[in-house]
Amino acid sequence: MDTTLMVNMPRPLCLIENVKGQLKPNQEALRILSAITQPVVVVAIVGLYRTGKSYLMNKLAGKKKGFSLGSTVQAHTKGIWMWCVPHPQKKDHILVLLDTEGLGDVEKGDNQNDCWIFALAILLSSTFVYNSIGAINQQAMDQLYYVTELTDRIRARTSTDQEDDMEDSSEFVSFFPEFVWSLRDMTLKLEVDGCCVTADEYLENSLKLKEGTCKEIEKYNLPRLCIRKFFPKKKCFIFCPPTEWKKLSQLETLQEHEIDSEFLQQVAEFCLYILKNCKTKTLPGSILVNGPRLESLVLTYVEAISSGDMPCIENAVLALAKIENSAAVQKAITHYDHQMSQRVQLPTETLQELLDLHRTCEREAIEIFLRTSFKDEDHSFQKELGLQLEDRWDDFCKRNLEASSTRCCTLLQDIFRPLEEHVRNGTFSKPGGYGLFVQETLRLKKKYYGEPKKGIQAEEVLQTYLQSKEAVSNAILQTDQSLTEKEKQIEVERKKTESAVAAAKLLEETQKKNEKLMEQKERSYQEHMRQLTQKMENDRIQLKAEQERTLALKLQEQKQLLQEGFQEESRKLQEEIKKVEKKYKETMDHMKAESSKATVKIVEEMQRKYDQMMEDKDRNHQKHLQELTKKMERDRAQQVAEQENIITLILQERELQFKEEISEERRKHEKEIQDLETKNRETLLKFESEQAQSSENTIKMLNEMKEMNLKIVEQKEKAFEYHLKQLTEKMDRDTAKLLAEQEEALTNKLQEQGEIFNKNLKKQNKRHEEEIRNIKMKKNSGCSMM
């Protein structure tokens, strides 16, 4: 909705309707007020009916017509009418004109309704115009008896003690509007004791008191005392009759040449003064009032009157504070969300980058809240703001992690896709393929590190990806025939060492990130405390200025009473001044106590956060150590199991090789025996065929050959057994040597990992001790502040 169109109202609208003596707010008028975000300058006019109030208000609006003038003896305007127009002299301000129904209408029957109209006009306005006919005399004062009933119609605070009546009357000065008395159709000369006087001097002279104690004198002095007490700043304007009495009913249709020029000049001076000097509507505590705040005041006051209660400034301010403070929290959160969405480009390269942006936007949000909030005495709304900002920060951290993980996963898929295709195509399934695979992996890792905008999850996502491809890397390593078993084992150990170092580094980075997040929470509380302390100090200075201004006005009134010779009234006023000073001192002491209490409360809250932070750090520290210990135990158990598997495989290969060698030797030996047996059979057959020729020699030769064959077989068997014994001893020596080498390598590996673990443990303990010392120093400094 366009605010400019809303404030340029073409005509007035009833703000508070008066229906059979019952006051009721007009919802359409309230809707218009709710759309006005600028501060408002509120001018209200009150007076007897048929005294020309509406004419002056139309002139202030710069219009000839608007508020209904009426032309009969019957009161025309009912309730309170409103006209909102841009202020002609104050930029970014809205002029709200309130025209009230005429007082003293005989048709009403009683004056209760008039008193409430009068009280509402004072409560809602920043300049109060009282309009009357003729000179200021006792009759005019008697008609102003509504002023004497203000303390019975309005309360400054909720307390109803008798002692508070005096305090209420003194507090009224701080928020009551400026008083302007317009004297219409004045025909008398402005002379006092034969001397010409100004309109203001005439008013001051008319407000002088009479000495004495009789009831008549008290009745004479009462309205004058009330005006002097409630309205220290007073102004008077005198208007001559605008035209002959027959034409007064047609005043809004008359041309300027038909209206008395002196009257027009007086109206121009009146409008110039009002527009130039009328202040912005404020509440106690110098709270500027805009459209929604004025709407809230209307609702609060009318509701109190309708329920039979007295309108209370304190209740109105507290009710308004709840609405405004809730809106202030939402405004601050909206600003934070908008600024973060504009400034933050997820993912951020580092956590510190996100922290810096968050701190800037958080500081601005707190400033907006403290600038637009008020009366947050228990700091509940500021705590709510802190909780919502913390939730927003946690959400941004989570989104930053997700954005970084998504970005890194996408990069890894794009960068390592060619490598995965080569693996599927068997490019590295050849001698020397593992070396090519490692070189390509290193090149792609370098390319990945060179890509921008990866965020804080870059290393963790990379390590997770590489671990997922560990089986592929091991398969390529084991199938590479150009590498010896020893080289393969060395490569496996190297990869495990790199993985352990990367895991330790990742754990350390995680620990640092958690420490930064905890430090951020501490800084948030410090920023809240700093700005809250500054606001409380500013409020104290502002209250001091208001109290000093009130005291100055009271002292001025006391001086004037002394000059007029009213010692008793001066004494009463002096007592009132003392009570104001006492109350001011009590208020300042209370504010200091509240400030100290708030500081102590925040320090205690921070201390509790420190203690919680320390416990969290201890838990994280112990958890970190447990994770490192468990990881080292798992790595040690895994390495022992892998070494046992490797040794078992090697022994099985050696056993198979040994069995093959024995089988080969056995085959050779059996073949030689078979060859000898075949040769013996052939020789035996040959000699059997020649048996007849040389039987004795043949038998002898056969026996010798048999013995020789037996010796050869025996030698062969002995040689086989000796060879088998040598192979067994060699296998035992190789096995023992292999076991010693593997045990030595495993021991060195475990010692190396133990050194890495101890080094990380020392670093963590050192950092943990430094954090504890820092927290203790902050705790001591917080206690010293208290």
Side-chain angles (χ1 to χ4, degrees):
M1 186 177 294
D2 190 351
T3 304
T4 304
L5 294 176
M6 291 302 302
V7 298
N8 279 299
M9 297 170 58
R11 62 185 180 278
L13 186 66
C14 187
L15 174 63
I16 301 175
E17 299 173 346
N18 182 6
V19 181
K20 296 182 180 180
Q22 296 294 320
L23 302 179
K24 180 182 177 182
N26 184 319
Q27 296 302 318
E28 184 179 355
L30 294 180
R31 181 177 58 82
I32 293 174
L33 285 179
S34 66
I36 299 175
T37 58
Q38 302 96 326
V40 293
V41 176
V42 186
V43 180
I45 190 166
V46 173
L48 297 179
Y49 74 105
R50 301 277 58 80
T51 55
K53 302 185 303 299
S54 300
Y55 180 83
L56 290 180
M57 300 304 278
N58 288 338
K59 288 300 181 180
L60 285 174
K63 305 292 183 180
K64 193 171 183 180
K65 294 183 180 181
F67 290 109
S68 178
L69 301 185
S71 59
T72 67
V73 295
Q74 187 179 27
H76 191 71
T77 302
K78 293 294 183 180
I80 299 178
W81 286 66
M82 175 187 75
W83 200 356
C84 302
V85 296
H87 200 289
Q89 294 190 12
K90 291 187 178 182
K91 186 180 179 181
D92 298 327
H93 281 66
I94 300 300
L95 178 62
V96 179
L97 302 174
L98 301 180
D99 187 15
T100 63
E101 67 177 85
L103 305 178
D105 185 2
V106 293
E107 294 182 2
K108 296 178 183 176
D110 59 47
N111 63 357
Q112 291 295 318
N113 189 259
D114 288 348
C115 290
W116 286 127
I117 294 292
F118 191 92
L120 283 173
I122 287 178
L123 289 170
L124 297 176
S125 65
S126 54
T127 294
F128 178 80
V129 181
Y130 180 69
N131 199 63
S132 66
I133 299 292
I136 301 176
N137 50 28
Q138 189 56 38
Q139 183 182 1
M141 286 295 176
D142 291 340
Q143 291 171 346
L144 199 54
Y145 69 92
Y146 308 103
V147 178
T148 65
E149 296 192 0
L150 283 177
T151 53
D152 296 327
R153 299 285 173 177
I154 302 172
R155 297 206 65 82
R157 291 181 288 125
T158 56
S159 175
T160 56
D161 295 340
Q162 186 176 0
E163 184 180 342
D164 290 329
D165 290 342
M166 185 68 73
E167 294 180 359
D168 268 348
S169 64
S170 63
E171 287 187 9
F172 289 162
V173 176
S174 63
F175 67 84
F176 263 27
E178 297 181 6
F179 183 83
V180 176
W181 198 331
S182 65
L183 300 174
R184 306 296 294 275
D185 300 342
M186 179 74 169
T187 57
L188 300 178
K189 292 183 179 181
L190 292 181
E191 291 184 0
V192 176
D193 297 331
C195 298
C196 293
V197 295
T198 64
D200 292 337
E201 291 171 341
Y202 172 67
L203 175 60
E204 291 297 330
N205 184 72
S206 301
L207 295 177
K208 285 184 178 181
L209 308 180
K210 285 185 178 182
E211 296 185 13
T213 58
C214 66
K215 291 185 178 180
E216 289 296 328
I217 293 178
E218 289 179 356
K219 182 180 178 181
Y220 176 89
N221 288 339
L222 182 57
R224 290 168 172 82
L225 275 173
C226 290
I227 293 175
R228 293 171 64 165
K229 181 187 296 184
F230 297 148
F231 305 102
K233 187 173 181 180
K234 299 172 283 292
K235 183 72 177 175
C236 182
F237 285 94
I238 295 177
F239 301 89
C240 66
T243 184
E244 57 185 81
W245 70 271
K246 292 182 179 180
K247 294 183 179 180
L248 285 178
S249 61
Q250 301 150 10
L251 188 59
E252 63 180 5
T253 61
L254 293 179
Q255 300 298 321
E256 285 195 4
H257 67 273
E258 298 179 87
I259 300 175
D260 188 276
S261 60
E262 185 178 357
F263 173 79
L264 293 176
Q265 179 62 30
Q266 292 165 347
V267 170
E269 291 175 357
F270 169 82
C271 293
L272 180 62
Y273 174 85
I274 295 295
L275 296 176
K276 184 177 180 181
N277 295 280
C278 187
K279 296 180 180 179
T280 304
K281 173 65 177 174
T282 59
L283 294 175
S286 298
I287 302 166
L288 294 178
V289 176
N290 56 15
R293 290 178 178 177
L294 185 59
E295 174 196 14
S296 178
L297 293 178
V298 171
L299 289 171
T300 304
Y301 294 145
V302 173
E303 181 181 357
I305 294 171
S306 300
S307 62
D309 294 333
M310 290 171 44
C312 176
I313 304 300
E314 185 179 30
N315 287 342
V317 173
L318 291 176
L320 181 59
K322 290 183 180 180
I323 299 173
E324 290 288 314
N325 291 342
S326 297
V329 171
Q330 188 57 46
K331 185 176 181 181
I333 291 297
T334 301
H335 175 83
Y336 175 85
D337 290 341
H338 177 72
Q339 292 300 315
M340 287 291 284
S341 61
Q342 291 291 322
R343 300 179 186 181
V344 177
Q345 298 294 327
L346 298 178
T348 58
E349 288 291 348
T350 61
L351 178 61
Q352 188 63 45
E353 179 183 347
L354 185 61
L355 275 171
D356 292 340
L357 292 172
H358 164 72
R359 287 168 185 163
T360 301
C361 296
E362 180 187 46
R363 183 181 66 254
E364 294 174 357
I366 297 173
E367 289 175 354
I368 289 174
F369 170 78
L370 293 178
R371 187 169 63 247
T372 55
S373 66
F374 58 93
K375 288 288 183 181
D376 185 20
E377 295 178 353
D378 58 352
H379 312 297
S380 58
F381 289 96
Q382 188 169 6
K383 290 178 183 176
E384 175 65 22
L385 173 64
L387 292 175
Q388 291 199 34
L389 287 174
E390 189 172 343
D391 290 342
R392 293 298 200 281
W393 163 243
D394 292 339
D395 181 63
F396 267 102
C397 288
K398 181 179 178 182
R399 288 165 54 191
N400 193 39
L401 290 175
E402 293 174 352
S404 177
S405 298
T406 302
R407 164 71 174 163
C408 293
C409 289
T410 303
L411 275 177
L412 288 172
Q413 291 176 0
D414 293 340
I415 292 174
F416 281 83
R417 184 180 292 111
L419 181 65
E420 293 176 358
E421 292 178 354
H422 287 315
V423 171
R424 286 194 295 269
N425 295 333
T427 304
F428 304 110
S429 300
K430 61 182 180 180
Y434 180 75
L436 295 175
F437 176 80
V438 171
Q439 290 179 3
E440 184 65 11
T441 301
L442 292 175
R443 186 185 70 81
L444 296 179
K445 283 174 63 178
K446 185 176 180 181
K447 181 179 179 182
Y448 171 78
Y449 283 127
E451 291 289 336
K453 291 293 182 182
K454 294 187 296 294
I456 59 178
Q457 290 291 96
E459 189 64 29
E460 183 175 347
V461 174
L462 176 62
Q463 294 303 321
T464 302
Y465 175 81
L466 293 178
Q467 288 176 5
S468 68
K469 302 300 179 183
E470 190 69 25
V472 175
S473 176
N474 290 335
I476 295 175
L477 174 63
Q478 296 301 327
T479 57
D480 193 343
Q481 299 178 359
S482 66
L483 298 176
T484 63
E485 291 296 330
K486 186 71 174 178
E487 290 173 339
K488 291 180 181 180
Q489 294 172 24
I490 293 173
E491 183 62 24
V492 170
E493 296 300 323
R494 183 189 65 78
K495 289 169 60 179
K496 289 179 179 178
T497 302
E498 287 183 355
S499 178
V501 171
K505 181 180 178 182
L506 196 59
L507 284 174
E508 185 176 356
E509 290 180 354
T510 303
Q511 181 72 10
K512 289 181 179 179
K513 181 174 71 174
N514 292 333
E515 291 170 2
K516 284 188 176 181
L517 293 175
M518 291 181 183
E519 180 185 355
Q520 166 55 32
K521 292 185 178 181
E522 175 188 342
R523 288 199 177 190
S524 293
Y525 279 97
Q526 289 177 348
E527 182 64 24
H528 276 277
M529 181 178 177
R530 182 188 68 80
Q531 293 202 33
L532 179 60
T533 303
Q534 182 64 41
K535 184 176 188 295
M536 294 178 76
E537 181 62 26
N538 293 338
D539 290 344
R540 193 158 52 239
I541 293 172
Q542 196 171 45
L543 178 62
K544 182 179 179 181
E546 289 181 0
Q547 294 289 346
E548 289 177 349
R549 185 167 58 252
T550 301
L551 286 174
L553 293 172
K554 291 290 183 183
L555 290 171
Q556 180 182 354
E557 180 66 17
Q558 183 195 23
K559 181 180 178 181
Q560 190 172 351
L561 287 172
L562 286 173
Q563 290 175 350
E564 295 175 12
F566 290 92
Q567 304 295 334
E568 182 62 22
E569 285 74 9
S570 176
R571 185 189 62 79
K572 291 180 180 179
L573 190 56
Q574 180 62 33
E575 291 178 358
E576 185 177 339
I577 290 173
K578 288 181 179 179
K579 288 185 178 181
V580 171
E581 290 176 340
K582 179 182 177 182
K583 182 187 172 187
Y584 164 68
K585 184 177 182 302
E586 290 175 352
T587 304
M588 294 301 291
D589 292 341
H590 176 72
M591 289 189 68
K592 288 180 180 178
E594 286 295 321
S595 177
S596 177
K597 190 185 298 183
T599 303
V600 170
K601 191 173 182 180
I602 293 178
V603 169
E604 289 176 352
E605 183 72 14
M606 290 181 65
Q607 182 60 47
R608 188 181 66 79
K609 291 290 182 180
Y610 286 150
D611 295 338
Q612 183 67 35
M613 190 185 304
M614 202 159 123
E615 292 178 5
D616 293 341
K617 286 180 181 291
D618 286 334
R619 282 197 298 270
N620 291 335
H621 183 66
Q622 295 299 328
K623 183 179 179 181
H624 184 60
L625 294 180
Q626 290 176 2
E627 288 178 354
L628 286 175
T629 304
K630 289 180 181 178
K631 188 175 186 306
M632 186 165 182
E633 292 296 333
R634 288 197 303 269
D635 292 344
R636 182 183 288 113
Q638 184 180 0
Q639 289 177 3
V640 170
E642 290 177 354
Q643 291 295 338
E644 289 178 352
N645 291 334
I646 292 173
I647 292 173
T648 301
L649 291 174
I650 293 175
L651 290 177
Q652 288 176 354
E653 290 178 359
R654 294 288 177 86
E655 185 177 359
L656 290 173
Q657 185 179 1
F658 178 67
K659 287 181 179 179
E660 289 178 358
E661 291 179 358
I662 292 176
S663 299
E664 184 66 26
E665 289 296 330
R666 191 183 300 278
R667 285 195 299 271
K668 290 181 181 179
H669 181 66
E670 290 176 352
K671 185 177 180 181
E672 289 177 355
I673 292 175
Q674 289 176 359
D675 292 341
L676 286 174
E677 289 178 351
T678 302
K679 187 175 180 182
N680 288 336
R681 283 196 298 271
E682 289 177 354
T683 303
L684 182 60
L685 291 173
K686 182 178 179 182
F687 280 105
E688 284 179 355
S689 62
E690 295 177 355
Q691 184 176 10
Q693 297 178 3
S694 52
S695 57
E696 292 181 2
N697 292 334
T698 301
I699 293 171
K700 184 177 180 180
M701 186 182 300
L702 288 172
N703 290 332
E704 290 177 354
M705 290 179 64
K706 186 176 181 180
E707 292 176 358
M708 182 179 66
N709 288 336
L710 291 172
K711 289 180 179 180
I712 291 172
V713 170
E714 185 178 354
Q715 290 177 355
K716 292 285 187 181
E717 288 179 352
K718 287 182 178 180
F720 177 73
E721 290 176 357
Y722 177 75
H723 184 66
L724 182 61
K725 180 180 179 181
Q726 285 185 331
L727 285 175
T728 302
E729 291 177 353
K730 184 176 183 300
M731 181 177 176
D732 291 339
R733 288 195 302 273
D734 291 345
T735 300
K737 183 178 179 181
L738 178 61
L739 287 174
E741 290 176 353
Q742 293 294 331
E743 184 176 358
E744 182 180 1
L746 181 60
T747 302
N748 293 335
K749 178 62 179 175
L750 293 176
Q751 288 178 352
E752 181 181 350
Q753 289 197 348
E755 290 175 358
I756 294 174
F757 175 76
N758 291 331
K759 183 178 179 182
N760 290 331
L761 183 60
K762 288 179 181 179
K763 288 171 66 177
Q764 293 292 331
N765 285 331
K766 183 177 179 182
R767 186 183 295 107
H768 187 60
E769 290 173 358
E770 290 178 355
E771 290 170 357
I772 293 175
R773 282 198 300 272
N774 291 335
I775 291 175
K776 287 181 177 179
M777 290 174 64
K778 291 179 180 178
K779 179 179 179 182
N780 294 333
S781 63
C783 292
S784 64
M785 287 175 59
M786 295 166 57

